[in-house]
Amino acid sequence: MNEEEKKSQQEMDEIDAMDAVHEEETGDLPESRDEEMERLRASSESAEKRVLMAQAEAENFRKRMRRDFEDQLRFASVPLVNDLLQVRDNLHRAIEAADSSSDSAGLREGVAIVAKQLDDTLVKYSVREIPAQGEQFDPNFHEAISQIPSDEHAAGTIAHVAVSGFQMHDRVIRASQVIVSTGPAN
């Protein structure tokens, strides 16, 4: 046998092996045209379903990425707002200190104006105070730092707000630090 005959024989052997594999996959008998058409239709429908599922998955991924991006933009200023809230707290402490002193009316008025301006700016950027005083304790918005008996407040009600809490849009930026009533003293 020369080289060409060997190649030709190898090709024939490969074709026979492929036919044998195809017969094993489809059964011992070769498929009729109708059976082959049905198999091809089923394969085509299956491929179509997979394509549609992949397209739906890609669309869901795009929507999820868009929502995540929008949330990142909406809440990008949270660190800045946290720092501003500390300034606000100090301004309010200065107002309280000015209230206790009798000769600092001008100081108190000036600090009150600055504090009001800061509060207005925070509201402009969708930052609002979480109501707490006299409200029912909610761990989603309030952080209990202590409990005290109180004749004025029912059990589970906030008796005193130590540090005001704030939300930006619907997200809590800082929980209110509160003292919760345990009810009337026995």
Side-chain angles (χ1 to χ4, degrees):
M1 277 187 152
N2 64 22
E3 290 295 318
E4 288 181 23
E5 288 177 350
K6 286 182 183 178
K7 277 188 175 180
S8 177
Q9 183 62 37
Q10 284 178 341
E11 289 174 1
M12 292 298 289
D13 289 343
E14 288 176 9
I15 291 172
D16 288 341
M18 289 172 55
D19 285 342
V21 167
H22 179 70
E23 285 181 19
E24 286 178 17
E25 290 176 354
T26 60
D28 291 336
L29 301 174
E31 292 181 329
S32 69
R33 279 194 168 155
D34 291 339
E35 290 171 339
E36 186 175 359
M37 290 293 285
E38 282 301 314
R39 183 182 59 78
L40 290 174
R41 274 192 194 107
S43 174
S44 172
E45 288 173 3
S46 173
E48 264 183 60
K49 286 180 184 176
R50 286 193 306 270
V51 166
L52 289 174
M53 288 175 65
Q55 287 173 338
E57 220 173 279
E59 182 62 26
N60 288 340
F61 177 74
R62 278 191 292 275
K63 287 179 183 177
R64 188 171 46 251
M65 292 304 293
R66 190 176 319 122
R67 267 194 317 266
D68 288 349
F69 178 72
E70 288 169 357
D71 274 354
Q72 285 178 346
L73 286 178
R74 283 177 65 196
F75 296 105
S77 59
V78 167
L80 171 67
V81 170
N82 276 326
D83 292 342
L84 287 175
L85 291 176
Q86 291 175 5
V87 172
R88 180 191 180 277
D89 291 342
N90 289 334
L91 283 172
H92 283 280
R93 287 184 190 109
I95 291 171
E96 289 173 8
D99 282 344
S100 65
S101 177
S102 62
D103 60 342
S104 58
L107 171 67
R108 186 200 179 296
E109 187 176 316
V111 173
I113 290 171
V114 173
K116 172 79 170 101
Q117 183 182 15
L118 179 60
D119 286 344
D120 292 344
T121 302
L122 290 172
V123 168
K124 179 179 169 184
Y125 290 97
S126 301
V127 177
R128 62 184 187 279
E129 189 171 357
I130 298 171
Q133 185 65 42
E135 298 285 325
Q136 191 68 26
F137 176 77
D138 183 351
N140 296 315
F141 300 103
H142 309 122
E143 177 184 342
I145 57 173
S146 182
Q147 291 184 334
I148 59 169
S150 172
D151 294 332
E152 298 173 18
H153 302 285
T157 303
I158 297 171
H160 178 71
V161 179
V163 177
S164 296
F166 289 85
Q167 318 183 238
M168 182 176 198
H169 302 289
D170 294 330
R171 185 181 292 175
V172 174
I173 293 176
R174 180 175 76 181
S176 299
Q177 293 182 354
V178 298
I179 297 174
V180 181
S181 170
T182 57
N186 293 340

